Amino acid sequence: MAINLTVILKSKPENTVIVKSLLLELVEKSTQEAACEQYDLHQNCDDANTFIFHEIWENQNGLDSHNQQSYIQSFFEKAKTLLQETPIVFRTDKLA
């Protein structure tokens, strides 16, 4: 069963350019994973410090594998000092 995620990240204002660059690298690498069905990155038009991922993973094993990738773990280690707050993750069921 597909896993749908929405992830919201807020960079510190002084780190927005760095965070955006790192997130674009995540897109490049994540979309190459076999279990990745969708991995879209958005930036809030009214608050450039806010980034939103819309992700679809083939199944839980695929998501688990993604979360174990060295580049994901490296990003979240760096994120501790670059982000305003802990990322918010919503796991959802598509209704329509």
Side-chain angles (χ1 to χ4, degrees), residues 2 4 8-10 12-13 15 17 25 27 30 34 50 53-54 56 61-62 66 71 78 82 84-86:
N4 296 278
I8 303 171
L9 304 103
K10 293 191 105 182
K12 293 177 182 174
N15 297 328
V17 171
E25 287 178 24
V27 171
S30 297
T50 301
F53 276 111
H54 294 288
I56 302 176
N61 288 339
H66 169 69
Y71 61 87
K78 292 174 189 172
L82 297 173
Q84 289 185 40
E85 56 194 46
T86 303

Side-chain angles (χ1 to χ4, degrees), residues 45-90:
C45 294
D46 298 321
D47 176 7
N49 303 319
T50 301
F51 298 90
I52 302 167
F53 276 111
H54 294 288
E55 306 175 24
I56 302 176
W57 294 93
E58 182 178 22
N59 53 38
Q60 187 63 51
N61 288 339
L63 176 59
D64 292 343
S65 175
H66 169 69
N67 287 330
Q68 295 304 313
Q69 298 298 314
S70 61
Y71 61 87
I72 292 295
Q73 293 181 357
S74 175
F75 170 78
F76 281 106
E77 187 60 35
K78 292 174 189 172
K80 291 177 183 177
T81 60
L82 297 173
L83 299 180
Q84 289 185 40
E85 56 194 46
T86 303
I88 300 169
V89 179
F90 295 98

Side-chain angles (χ1 to χ4, degrees), residues 19-29 41 53:
V19 170
K20 183 176 182 177
S21 176
L22 292 171
L23 294 176
L24 288 169
E25 287 178 24
L26 291 184
V27 171
E28 184 178 327
K29 293 176 180 178
L41 175 62
F53 276 111

Side-chain angles (χ1 to χ4, degrees), residues 2-6 38 55-57 90-94:
I3 307 294
N4 296 278
L5 298 177
T6 299
Q38 182 176 331
E55 306 175 24
I56 302 176
W57 294 93
F90 295 98
R91 184 170 173 162
T92 62
D93 291 323
K94 185 175 179 181

